[in-house]
Amino acid sequence: MSSHQSPATSHPFPPRHDWTLDEVERLFARPFMELVYEAATVHRAWFDPSEVQKSQLLSIKTGGCAENCGYCSQSASFDTGLKAEKLMDATAVIAEAMAAKAGGASRFCMGAAWRELKDRDTPKLATMIAGVKALGLETCATLGMLTADQARQLKAAGLDYYNHNLDTGPEYYAQVVTTRTYQDRLDTLQYVREAGMSTCCGGIVGMGEARRDRASLLHALATLPVHPDSLPVNALVPVTGTPLGERMLAEGQIDPIEFVRTVAVARIVCPKAMVRLSAGRETMSAEMQALCFLAGANSIFVGGKLLTTPNPEQDEDAALFALLDLRPMEPAAVEAAA
């Protein structure tokens, strides 16, 4: 167990797996001040509120994905002007990880625009993972769907976390993607857990879904056999040429207070998770991010780009941390090795 968490034994806010959808909806409906206060209380019981984990995400294989996720610039189904590229060389990826560590990141995430991992690519990925791990960084990858054997191979290579988002609640899912099922996503998460890796799993808000759909996403996460170790909350970044991006450009983005509510509810229903402000931070004010941290967010992506979308630059985040008296969290992998 990492030093920034309290033991679960006799904890005042133990993780629950029996949440009902109605209960989660009622959390969303609570008066905003009360909701944020409760989320902050839960957060402080499990974490140091002044620590925020810095992760960096690199696209190791960009574009040409066979999935039709309606928000994604990398889908081959949409004309977004993005050129498909091949899988990066392991040496180049490890060099990027070294730069990320020098910039203060404690976790390095590698993302490939694939529907599923192919066995032929596994050895090259294993080399990348081992090289990043040797730097003392936590390792994370998002490579699409996995088989049970592939999950075991990634674990053997040193992968700490596997990201596989549910995207939205099951009722709204068909409005987002039709080339894979909700059960496909749940199966991959099961293989990851069985292989002994930690899960990184969250979703995207602001895609035209109703509040009940946001509650349904968090209900799905909170009733998994094991809560996600890392729970990214993404705000849709509109990409011209994608159906959901065009919809957001026409209808407007999610209300900032509703986004903070989502973060707060995520913290309450998954109290031990690292709740990450992921995509969309580029357009969030310092005040909105401060509310998110108050409501229980304790992880961000750093670096100027998230796969193909913009993200705040390093100096902007340094200024934000100084303004809010925040400090970077140490990597758990380094603590365990100490």
Side-chain angles (χ1 to χ4, degrees):
M1 177 176 293
S2 60
S3 64
H4 51 257
Q5 288 190 353
S6 307
T9 306
S10 303
H11 199 278
F13 302 105
R16 285 178 50 192
H17 297 268
D18 61 348
W19 290 94
T20 67
L21 179 54
D22 285 344
E23 281 183 296
V24 180
E25 276 200 289
R26 286 198 293 272
L27 287 175
F28 268 93
R30 293 193 65 188
F32 180 73
M33 298 301 181
E34 291 184 17
L35 174 63
V36 171
Y37 178 79
E38 181 177 345
T41 303
V42 172
H43 181 56
R44 281 157 174 73
W46 282 102
F47 296 95
D48 182 334
S50 295
E51 287 189 343
V52 174
Q53 180 198 62
K54 289 184 175 183
S55 299
Q56 192 147 335
L57 175 61
L58 175 68
S59 179
I60 61 173
K61 192 279 172 190
T62 303
C65 183
E67 300 282 11
N68 68 351
C69 304
Y71 53 81
C72 187
S73 64
Q74 304 196 66
S75 172
S77 300
F78 315 125
D79 182 10
T80 63
L82 188 71
K83 181 182 177 182
E85 298 174 0
K86 294 182 179 180
L87 182 63
M88 287 178 64
D89 182 74
T91 304
V93 172
I94 294 167
E96 292 280 356
M98 292 177 67
K101 182 178 181 181
S106 60
R107 182 182 298 175
F108 190 73
C109 307
M110 295 157 275
W114 286 325
R115 172 176 164 75
E116 68 273 311
L117 175 60
K118 298 291 194 299
D119 288 335
R120 65 173 182 266
D121 294 311
T122 305
K124 193 170 184 178
L125 287 162
T127 301
M128 292 179 194
I129 292 164
V132 173
K133 182 83 167 180
L135 299 173
L137 290 163
E138 294 177 17
T139 55
C140 180
T142 178
L143 312 165
M145 292 183 287
L146 299 178
T147 65
D149 185 58
Q150 288 169 339
R152 288 190 291 268
Q153 291 181 58
L154 293 175
K155 169 64 175 178
L159 192 63
D160 298 309
Y161 285 78
Y162 194 79
N163 167 261
H164 203 62
N165 289 336
L166 294 181
D167 283 356
T168 188
E171 300 82 4
Y172 194 68
Y173 185 76
Q175 305 300 312
V176 177
V177 56
T178 60
T179 49
R180 78 169 87 167
T181 67
Y182 216 72
Q183 189 60 49
D184 287 334
R185 294 181 183 269
L186 295 173
D187 288 346
T188 289
L189 290 170
Q190 179 181 339
Y191 300 146
V192 169
R193 289 192 301 268
E194 289 175 348
M197 285 185 285
S198 297
T199 56
C200 176
C201 184
I204 308 170
V205 298
M207 298 190 293
E209 78 284 348
R211 175 182 280 183
R212 185 174 177 85
D213 297 312
R214 293 188 279 278
S216 184
L217 165 66
L218 295 179
H219 174 254
L221 296 170
T223 54
L224 288 169
V226 178
H227 287 171
D229 300 277
S230 189
L231 197 167
V233 182
N234 296 274
L236 178 65
V237 177
V239 176
T240 302
T242 61
L244 294 174
E246 297 288 355
R247 177 174 177 172
M248 178 181 157
L249 289 170
E251 298 179 3
Q253 64 185 27
I254 186 171
D255 178 79
I257 295 299
E258 182 70 12
F259 185 89
V260 178
R261 282 185 186 274
T262 306
V263 170
V265 176
R267 171 52 67 209
I268 292 169
V269 300
C270 293
K272 291 176 64 178
M274 304 294 299
V275 176
R276 180 182 300 126
L277 294 185
S278 296
R281 236 175 20 94
E282 168 74 7
T283 58
M284 294 181 190
S285 68
E287 293 84 356
M288 180 180 172
Q289 292 181 72
L291 276 176
C292 288
F293 293 134
L294 183 64
N298 62 340
S299 178
I300 60 171
F301 275 126
V302 295
K305 182 186 279 191
L306 284 186
L307 297 179
T308 64
T309 58
N311 196 54
E313 296 289 349
Q314 193 175 109
D315 57 348
E316 294 177 68
D317 283 331
L320 180 68
F321 271 50
L323 181 67
L324 300 179
D325 301 308
L326 299 174
R327 60 180 180 274
M329 188 180 293
E330 292 295 323
V334 171
E335 292 172 359

